[in-house]
Amino acid sequence: GTMARRVAVLEHGATISERLAIASICRCFGGAAIEAAVAGAGRASRRQRELPAHVVVYYVIAMALLMHVNLREVLRCLLAGLRSVTGAAGPKVTGKSGISQARTRLGSEPLRRLCETEVKPIATAASKGAWYRGLRLVSLDGGVLDLPDEPGNRQAFGSPRTHSGDRSFPQIRFVGLAEIGTHVLFGMAMAPYRTSEVELAHAAVQHLAAGMLCLADRGFFGVRLFEQAKAAGAELLWRAPGSAVLPVGEALADGSYLSELSNWQRRRSKGSPSVAVRVIDYRLDGVSNHEQTFRLVTTLLDPAQAPADELAALYQQRWAIELAFDELKTHLRGQRIALRSKTPELVRQEFYGLLLAHFAVRGLMHEAACQVDQEPARWSFSHSLSVIRRKLVKTAPLSP
C-alpha cells in the first residue's frame, strides 16, 4: 500500500546516500562516546551472539536517518556501512524480532546519555547568522510527535481529543532549545502529551548558559520560567502577552522602558526582589492579519548595548525563521512521519535517536557552510518596523 515503507535495494551493499548517512553517524559519534554512554547505563552486551550494544546505538540513530527504509534493511545498511568504515566483518543481519529484542535490551538510557554529552551548540565565530553582538542566539520551542497506536503507548503518553470527541494517535510532547545559526536542537525534554509546554520548558532552560541570548514566544512567558532561564546565565528576549502587567519605571531614549516582573503575592510572602527588565513595544507597519503591537521583555537593560530597533528586528527574524525550522516541525511534530516504536521505552529510545540523527546531519551541513564561507543571505524582513516611543516621563507605579 501507499503507507508501506520502501525496502532499500542493496545489490552491492548500501547505496551511496545510505552509506553517507551511516558515515555521518560514525563520524559524529565516535566509538568511545558510545561505549561510555552504554557503560554508564549498564547496558554492555553480555553474550557473544547478541547484536553488540554499540551497534544497536548506531542502529537506532540510523533508523531516524533512513525513515523510508524498513527496519531490517536499516540494519543491513548499517552493517554494510560499519564494515566499510571499520573493515571488520561484524555481526550478521538478524530478523525483525531479533532487532526488537536487541533494542529492548539496550533501552533508552544510553541514547539519552549520548544526547546529554554530545548534542550541544556548534556555531563558531565564523558561523553566519548565529550571533547578536557576541551573544549566541538560541530559541526556546516545542511540539508534539505522533506514535503508533498501541495500547502501551496510549496508556503511557495519552493523546489529544479530536473535534468529534474521539482520541487521535498517541503523542509525546517535547520542548527544547534550537541554536538559530545552525538549527542544532539541544536540551530537549520529552513527556506525555498532557504535560504542558511551560512545565517541560523548566527542564529545557537549565541548558542555557552565559553568553547566550534566548528568544521565546509569548506562550512561554511567565515570572517563574523567566527567572529560571535568567538564573542559568543567559540573556533573554521574550515576547510577552498583551495581558502582562509591566509598569513603566523609566522611559529610555530609544523608545523602550525599564520595568519589573513581579508576582506580587509570591514576592510578599517570600520577600524576594522582583526581576529588572526592559520592555520594547513595536508595530509592524502595513502587515495585515497580525496584532498591531508586539511587546518584548529583555534582560538587556542598556539601550546602547542593545538598541530597541535591533532587538525588535531580531525577534522578527526568529518569527521568520519558523520557516527555516520547517524540517523540525515536519519531522519532530509528526506532520509527515510518526515514530515507529510500539512500546513506551522504545519510543523514548527512538526520540533520542532522532535528535542524535538530526545533530549529525546539522553538524555536517554547518561544516560545509563554513567551508564555503559565502556572504550570508541577509535576514529578509521587508516590512518596516517602528518602536512605539513613550514620553520621557515617569508614570506612577501601579498598585498591587
Side-chain angles (χ1 to χ4, degrees):
T2 54
M3 295 300 287
R5 298 192 186 276
R6 180 176 67 77
V7 176
V9 178
L10 304 170
E11 293 167 321
H12 307 292
T15 64
I16 292 291
S17 63
E18 281 136 8
R19 221 174 255 265
L20 278 172
I22 303 305
S24 69
I25 296 171
C26 295
R27 194 161 162 272
C28 190
F29 308 110
I34 289 183
E35 294 288 358
V38 167
R43 285 287 185 267
S45 303
R46 290 177 182 81
R47 300 179 195 158
Q48 206 59 42
R49 61 184 174 77
E50 292 176 353
L51 271 177
H54 74 277
V55 172
V56 186
V57 172
Y58 280 130
Y59 172 80
V60 175
I61 303 170
M63 264 175 63
L65 274 183
L66 305 176
M67 272 288 180
H68 58 287
V69 181
N70 81 21
L71 296 179
R72 193 158 184 268
E73 295 301 332
V74 172
L75 183 59
R76 198 190 302 278
C77 290
L78 174 65
L79 295 179
L82 287 176
R83 274 195 295 276
S84 68
V85 170
T86 63
K92 292 186 171 63
V93 176
T94 184
K96 200 170 175 182
S97 64
I99 293 169
S100 182
Q101 287 165 16
R103 287 185 60 202
T104 302
R105 276 195 304 272
L106 183 72
S108 65
E109 183 60 12
L111 280 291
R112 190 198 67 76
R113 283 172 177 260
L114 197 59
C115 271
E116 193 75 27
T117 59
E118 302 299 308
V119 178
K120 291 182 167 58
I122 59 174
T124 63
S127 306
K128 311 293 186 183
W131 306 91
Y132 170 72
R133 293 191 174 221
L135 294 170
R136 184 188 300 273
L137 293 171
V138 300
S139 179
L140 180 65
D141 214 344
V144 294
L145 252 174
D146 284 345
L147 310 174
D149 196 358
E150 300 288 335
N153 286 347
R154 188 170 283 286
Q155 189 177 351
F157 300 115
S159 62
R161 287 196 179 277
T162 62
H163 293 302
S164 60
D166 300 330
R167 286 193 175 275
S168 59
F169 280 93
Q171 290 183 337
I172 54 172
R173 190 179 299 284
F174 63 89
V175 172
L177 299 163
E179 185 178 35
I180 289 179
T182 62
H183 302 186
V184 160
L185 291 173
F186 66 104
M188 280 282 165
M190 63 160 284
Y193 172 79
R194 62 184 170 272
T195 311
S196 75
E197 282 200 342
V198 170
E199 197 178 325
L200 271 179
H202 283 283
V205 299
Q206 290 174 23
H207 294 264
L208 290 170
M212 292 180 181
L213 174 57
C214 174
L215 285 65
D217 203 4
R218 58 190 166 177
F220 291 106
F221 188 81
V223 176
R224 276 187 60 237
L225 187 59
F226 195 93
E227 278 185 328
Q228 191 181 352
K230 183 174 183 283
E235 302 292 353
L236 311 179
L237 178 64
W238 290 16
R239 187 177 171 195
S243 59
V245 178
L246 294 161
V248 179
E250 181 189 342
L252 303 171
D254 69 346
S256 63
Y257 61 92
L258 298 181
S259 186
E260 59 181 35
L261 290 184
S262 57
N263 183 325
W264 181 72
Q265 289 285 7
R266 191 163 63 83
R267 301 284 171 216
R268 189 174 65 165
S269 61
K270 293 188 178 178
S272 54
S274 55
V275 182
V277 293
R278 182 166 147 238
V279 182
I280 299 160
D281 291 336
Y282 67 98
R283 280 189 296 267
L284 298 180
D285 298 333
V287 182
S288 58
N289 301 324
H290 286 289
E291 286 183 32
Q292 195 173 7
T293 304
F294 290 79
R295 170 164 287 180
L296 302 181
V297 176
T298 184
T299 55
L300 297 168
L301 303 182
D302 184 356
Q305 297 299 316
D309 56 352
E310 286 186 11
L311 293 182
L314 186 67
Y315 188 81
Q316 288 307 134
Q317 289 161 10
R318 177 205 174 275
W319 184 52
I321 209 170
E322 292 298 337
L323 299 173
F325 281 147
D326 228 24
E327 95 245 11
L328 304 184
K329 304 288 183 178
T330 52
H331 256 49
L332 288 180
R333 289 201 168 176
Q335 290 169 2
R336 294 190 189 156
I337 58 163
L339 294 189
R340 317 194 212 194
S341 300
K342 296 185 176 179
T343 68
E345 181 64 5
L346 295 191
V347 163
R348 294 183 193 98
Q349 182 193 73
E350 188 180 352
F351 174 74
Y352 293 118
L354 186 58
L355 293 179
L356 290 160
H358 185 267
F359 179 71
V361 171
R362 274 288 157 201
L364 208 59
M365 291 173 71
H366 175 253
E367 203 174 302
C370 285
Q371 282 174 3
V372 174
D373 195 34
Q374 291 177 337
E375 265 300 298
R378 303 300 276 168
W379 290 109
S380 64
F381 187 64
S382 54
H383 305 296
S384 60
L385 179 152
S386 56
V387 172
I388 297 167
R389 298 185 167 273
R390 297 182 176 272
K391 290 178 182 173
L392 295 174
V393 180
K394 273 200 171 184
T395 56
L398 294 173
S399 71

